[in-house]
Amino acid sequence: QKEVEQNSGPLSVPEGAIASLNCTYSDRGSQSFFWYRQYSGKSPELIMSIYSNGDKEDGRFTAQLNKASQYVSLLIRDSQPSDSATYLCAVKDNFNKFYFGSGTKLNVKP
Amino acid sequence: DTGVSQDPRHKITKRGQNVTFRCDPISEHNRLYWYRQTLGQGPEFLTYFQNEAQLEKSRLLSDRFSAERPKGSFSTLEIQRTEQGDSAMYLCASSFQLAGPYNEQFFGPGTRLTVL
Protein backbone atom coordinates (compact mmCIF):
# COMPACT_ATOMS: atom_id res chain seq x y z
CA GLN A 1 0.00 0.00 0.00
CA LYS A 2 1.44 3.33 -1.08
CA GLU A 3 1.40 5.81 1.76
CA VAL A 4 1.57 9.55 2.18
CA GLU A 5 2.31 10.75 5.69
CA GLN A 6 1.62 14.15 7.17
CA ASN A 7 1.63 15.49 10.70
CA SER A 8 -2.02 16.08 11.54
CA GLY A 9 -1.26 19.20 13.60
CA PRO A 10 -2.71 21.56 14.42
CA LEU A 11 0.19 23.78 13.45
CA SER A 12 -0.26 27.21 14.97
CA VAL A 13 1.67 30.22 13.69
CA PRO A 14 1.22 33.95 14.30
CA GLU A 15 0.06 36.18 11.48
CA GLY A 16 2.98 37.23 9.29
CA ALA A 17 5.13 34.21 10.16
CA ILE A 18 6.29 31.40 7.88
CA ALA A 19 4.30 28.17 8.07
CA SER A 20 6.17 24.99 7.17
CA LEU A 21 4.21 21.88 6.21
CA ASN A 22 5.85 18.54 5.58
CA CYS A 23 4.98 15.31 3.81
CA THR A 24 6.73 12.01 3.18
CA TYR A 25 5.73 9.33 0.70
CA SER A 26 6.51 5.66 0.28
CA ASP A 27 6.46 5.11 -3.51
CA ARG A 28 9.94 5.90 -4.77
CA GLY A 29 8.72 5.82 -8.38
CA SER A 30 6.28 8.71 -7.95
CA GLN A 31 6.90 11.66 -10.23
CA SER A 32 4.16 14.16 -9.45
CA PHE A 33 3.44 15.93 -6.20
CA PHE A 34 0.70 18.34 -5.22
CA TRP A 35 -0.48 20.49 -2.35
CA TYR A 36 -4.17 21.16 -1.82
CA ARG A 37 -5.85 23.50 0.63
CA GLN A 38 -9.17 22.44 2.12
CA TYR A 39 -11.39 24.67 4.18
CA SER A 40 -13.79 23.01 6.61
CA GLY A 41 -16.78 21.57 4.76
CA LYS A 42 -15.35 22.41 1.33
CA SER A 43 -13.56 20.41 -1.33
CA PRO A 44 -9.77 20.45 -1.86
CA GLU A 45 -8.34 23.33 -3.90
CA LEU A 46 -5.07 22.86 -5.80
CA ILE A 47 -2.45 25.40 -4.76
CA MET A 48 0.87 23.94 -5.94
CA SER A 49 2.28 21.19 -8.11
CA ILE A 50 5.93 20.16 -8.29
CA TYR A 51 7.65 17.59 -10.46
CA SER A 52 11.41 18.21 -10.14
CA ASN A 53 13.79 18.27 -7.21
CA GLY A 54 14.26 21.70 -5.72
CA ASP A 55 12.03 24.64 -5.02
CA LYS A 56 9.04 26.05 -6.88
CA GLU A 57 7.66 29.42 -5.86
CA ASP A 58 4.22 30.89 -6.53
CA GLY A 59 3.45 34.08 -4.69
CA ARG A 60 3.61 33.43 -0.95
CA PHE A 61 3.85 29.67 -1.48
CA THR A 62 7.02 27.64 -2.04
CA ALA A 63 6.96 23.90 -2.64
CA GLN A 64 10.12 21.90 -2.06
CA LEU A 65 10.80 18.40 -3.35
CA ASN A 66 13.55 15.95 -2.45
CA LYS A 67 12.98 12.68 -4.26
CA ALA A 68 16.01 10.99 -2.69
CA SER A 69 14.54 11.58 0.76
CA GLN A 70 10.96 11.06 -0.49
CA TYR A 71 10.01 14.34 1.08
CA VAL A 72 7.82 17.23 -0.02
CA SER A 73 7.22 20.44 1.86
CA LEU A 74 5.17 23.60 1.53
CA LEU A 75 6.22 26.95 2.93
CA ILE A 76 3.71 29.74 3.34
CA ARG A 77 5.30 33.14 3.83
CA ASP A 78 3.56 36.07 5.52
CA SER A 79 0.82 33.74 6.81
CA GLN A 80 -2.64 35.25 6.98
CA PRO A 81 -5.66 34.18 9.04
CA SER A 82 -7.31 33.28 5.72
CA ASP A 83 -4.61 30.61 5.26
CA SER A 84 -6.11 28.71 8.20
CA ALA A 85 -7.20 25.42 6.64
CA THR A 86 -6.17 21.81 6.26
CA TYR A 87 -3.35 21.26 3.77
CA LEU A 88 -3.33 17.97 1.90
CA CYS A 89 -0.26 16.47 0.28
CA ALA A 90 -0.96 14.31 -2.78
CA VAL A 91 1.30 12.03 -4.79
CA LYS A 92 0.55 10.57 -8.22
CA ASP A 93 2.06 7.19 -8.99
CA ASN A 94 3.09 5.81 -12.37
CA PHE A 95 -0.37 4.28 -12.81
CA ASN A 96 -2.13 7.66 -12.63
CA LYS A 97 -3.54 7.05 -9.16
CA PHE A 98 -3.39 9.81 -6.59
CA TYR A 99 -2.66 9.12 -2.94
CA PHE A 100 -3.46 11.71 -0.30
CA GLY A 101 -2.18 12.27 3.18
CA SER A 102 -4.61 12.91 6.00
CA GLY A 103 -3.72 16.58 5.99
CA THR A 104 -2.15 19.08 8.36
CA LYS A 105 -4.43 21.60 10.02
CA LEU A 106 -2.94 25.08 10.03
CA ASN A 107 -4.12 27.81 12.39
CA VAL A 108 -2.87 31.34 11.74
CA LYS A 109 -3.48 33.50 14.78
CA PRO A 110 -4.13 37.25 14.28
CA ASP B 1 -14.91 27.45 -17.87
CA THR B 2 -17.14 26.64 -14.92
CA GLY B 3 -14.95 23.99 -13.34
CA VAL B 4 -16.02 20.57 -12.08
CA SER B 5 -19.64 20.39 -10.96
CA GLN B 6 -21.39 17.75 -8.86
CA ASP B 7 -25.03 17.08 -8.19
CA PRO B 8 -26.61 16.88 -5.68
CA ARG B 9 -24.53 18.77 -3.15
CA HIS B 10 -26.24 17.04 -0.24
CA LYS B 11 -28.14 13.77 -0.02
CA ILE B 12 -29.88 12.28 2.98
CA THR B 13 -31.16 8.76 2.57
CA LYS B 14 -32.34 5.85 4.64
CA ARG B 15 -30.30 2.71 5.05
CA GLY B 16 -31.00 0.26 2.26
CA GLN B 17 -31.91 2.85 -0.36
CA ASN B 18 -29.99 3.39 -3.60
CA VAL B 19 -28.40 6.74 -4.42
CA THR B 20 -26.82 8.14 -7.57
CA PHE B 21 -24.45 11.07 -7.86
CA ARG B 22 -23.47 12.96 -10.99
CA CYS B 23 -20.19 14.65 -11.91
CA ASP B 24 -19.56 16.97 -14.85
CA PRO B 25 -15.81 17.45 -15.39
CA ILE B 26 -14.03 20.41 -16.92
CA SER B 27 -14.98 20.16 -20.58
CA GLU B 28 -11.62 19.31 -22.16
CA HIS B 29 -10.52 16.93 -19.41
CA ASN B 30 -10.26 13.29 -20.41
CA ARG B 31 -9.64 11.82 -16.96
CA LEU B 32 -12.23 11.68 -14.22
CA TYR B 33 -11.72 10.39 -10.68
CA TRP B 34 -14.06 9.55 -7.83
CA TYR B 35 -12.97 9.76 -4.20
CA ARG B 36 -14.56 9.34 -0.80
CA GLN B 37 -13.54 11.48 2.14
CA THR B 38 -14.47 11.04 5.78
CA LEU B 39 -13.81 13.45 8.63
CA GLY B 40 -10.14 13.87 9.43
CA GLN B 41 -8.96 11.83 6.46
CA GLY B 42 -7.67 12.67 3.02
CA PRO B 43 -9.60 11.72 -0.10
CA GLU B 44 -9.60 7.97 -0.70
CA PHE B 45 -9.43 6.76 -4.29
CA LEU B 46 -12.52 4.89 -5.54
CA THR B 47 -12.18 4.67 -9.31
CA TYR B 48 -11.08 6.55 -12.39
CA PHE B 49 -11.89 6.86 -16.08
CA GLN B 50 -9.93 7.84 -19.11
CA ASN B 51 -12.53 8.99 -21.59
CA GLU B 52 -15.30 6.37 -21.25
CA ALA B 53 -13.05 3.53 -20.08
CA GLN B 54 -12.99 2.69 -16.38
CA LEU B 55 -9.32 1.92 -15.86
CA GLU B 56 -9.21 1.03 -12.19
CA LYS B 57 -11.51 0.42 -9.28
CA SER B 58 -10.35 0.34 -5.68
CA ARG B 59 -10.30 -3.05 -4.03
CA LEU B 60 -11.82 -1.32 -1.02
CA LEU B 61 -14.96 -0.70 -3.06
CA SER B 62 -17.67 -3.23 -2.52
CA ASP B 63 -19.93 -4.55 -5.26
CA ARG B 64 -22.58 -2.10 -4.08
CA PHE B 65 -20.67 0.71 -5.76
CA SER B 66 -20.68 1.23 -9.51
CA ALA B 67 -19.59 4.08 -11.73
CA GLU B 68 -20.11 4.92 -15.36
CA ARG B 69 -18.94 7.50 -17.84
CA PRO B 70 -20.95 6.50 -20.89
CA LYS B 71 -19.86 9.08 -23.44
CA GLY B 72 -16.61 10.18 -21.92
CA SER B 73 -18.19 13.32 -20.54
CA PHE B 74 -20.21 13.27 -17.30
CA SER B 75 -20.00 10.39 -14.85
CA THR B 76 -22.36 8.81 -12.36
CA LEU B 77 -21.58 6.98 -9.13
CA GLU B 78 -24.27 4.70 -7.76
CA ILE B 79 -24.38 3.17 -4.32
CA GLN B 80 -26.87 0.35 -3.87
CA ARG B 81 -28.35 -0.72 -0.53
CA THR B 82 -26.69 2.10 1.35
CA GLU B 83 -25.23 1.49 4.81
CA GLN B 84 -24.48 3.97 7.57
CA GLY B 85 -20.77 3.48 6.89
CA ASP B 86 -21.28 4.98 3.44
CA SER B 87 -21.87 8.39 5.00
CA ALA B 88 -19.07 10.58 3.66
CA MET B 89 -18.21 13.32 1.19
CA TYR B 90 -18.00 11.95 -2.34
CA LEU B 91 -15.60 13.96 -4.46
CA CYS B 92 -15.13 14.04 -8.19
CA ALA B 93 -11.98 15.38 -9.83
CA SER B 94 -10.89 15.78 -13.41
CA SER B 95 -7.63 16.27 -15.25
CA PHE B 96 -6.21 16.43 -18.74
CA GLN B 97 -3.56 13.85 -19.36
CA LEU B 98 -0.37 15.29 -20.81
CA ALA B 99 2.77 13.43 -21.78
CA GLY B 100 5.05 12.94 -18.81
CA PRO B 101 4.17 13.39 -15.15
CA TYR B 102 2.16 16.62 -15.57
CA ASN B 103 -1.39 15.93 -14.51
CA GLU B 104 -3.00 18.52 -12.27
CA GLN B 105 -6.30 17.39 -10.88
CA PHE B 106 -9.17 19.69 -9.96
CA PHE B 107 -11.97 18.83 -7.59
CA GLY B 108 -15.67 19.54 -7.71
CA PRO B 109 -17.57 20.79 -4.66
CA GLY B 110 -18.48 17.27 -3.55
CA THR B 111 -21.68 15.49 -2.59
CA ARG B 112 -22.21 15.00 1.12
CA LEU B 113 -24.08 11.75 1.78
CA THR B 114 -25.80 11.04 5.08
CA VAL B 115 -27.28 7.58 5.58
CA LEU B 116 -29.78 7.39 8.43
Side-chain angles (χ1 to χ4, degrees):
Chain A
Q1 176 70 9
K2 298 172 184 176
E3 296 184 343
V4 178
E5 299 287 343
Q6 295 182 255
N7 188 320
S8 61
L11 173 66
S12 292
V13 300
E15 184 175 356
I18 296 175
S20 177
L21 306 164
N22 304 314
C23 169
T24 59
Y25 59 95
S26 64
D27 179 21
R28 187 170 288 277
S30 295
Q31 298 293 320
S32 310
F33 307 88
F34 307 89
W35 284 98
Y36 288 83
R37 177 175 62 199
Q38 187 171 29
Y39 293 112
S40 180
K42 302 296 185 181
S43 63
E45 173 192 8
L46 179 66
I47 52 173
M48 289 287 287
S49 58
I50 186 166
Y51 307 103
S52 304
N53 281 329
D55 295 359
K56 179 181 177 183
E57 185 174 323
D58 184 0
R60 295 186 296 112
F61 299 97
T62 298
Q64 299 175 316
L65 174 61
N66 184 326
K67 291 182 181 179
S69 300
Q70 296 174 242
Y71 177 88
V72 193
S73 66
L74 179 70
L75 300 178
I76 306 174
R77 290 182 300 281
D78 188 24
S79 295
Q80 301 297 309
S82 59
D83 295 326
S84 297
T86 295
Y87 288 80
L88 298 166
C89 174
V91 176
K92 186 175 80 74
D93 70 10
N94 287 332
F95 302 97
N96 300 307
K97 282 181 65 175
F98 289 74
Y99 296 87
F100 287 80
S102 297
T104 298
K105 186 172 183 179
L106 173 65
N107 290 330
V108 181
K109 298 182 177 180
Chain B
D1 188 356
T2 57
V4 180
S5 62
Q6 292 188 245
D7 184 72
R9 297 289 302 275
H10 303 275
K11 179 71 176 178
I12 299 174
T13 191
K14 293 182 179 179
R15 183 164 53 94
Q17 298 295 304
N18 299 344
V19 295
T20 299
F21 308 141
R22 175 178 171 129
C23 172
D24 286 87
I26 295 170
S27 59
E28 66 270 22
H29 284 186
N30 57 354
R31 286 208 172 145
L32 187 149
Y33 294 75
W34 284 100
Y35 295 89
R36 175 172 62 189
Q37 187 177 25
T38 54
L39 194 63
Q41 300 298 314
E44 176 187 19
F45 171 83
L46 295 179
T47 188
Y48 91 96
F49 295 83
Q50 179 156 321
N51 300 313
E52 65 274 12
Q54 186 174 18
L55 297 187
E56 189 164 347
K57 182 176 177 179
S58 170
R59 283 172 285 180
L60 299 174
L61 219 58
S62 75
D63 290 342
R64 297 184 297 106
F65 288 72
S66 62
E68 294 182 340
R69 194 182 183 197
K71 297 183 179 179
S73 56
F74 73 92
S75 175
T76 59
L77 176 69
E78 181 183 16
I79 309 174
Q80 296 181 328
R81 304 181 303 281
T82 51
E83 302 172 355
Q84 289 184 324
D86 297 330
S87 295
M89 174 79 88
Y90 289 84
L91 294 162
C92 175
S94 71
S95 66
F96 183 75
Q97 178 60 18
L98 298 170
Y102 315 105
N103 192 11
E104 293 184 339
Q105 181 178 125
F106 299 90
F107 282 89
T111 295
R112 182 167 296 282
L113 173 66
T114 302
V115 181
L116 301 176

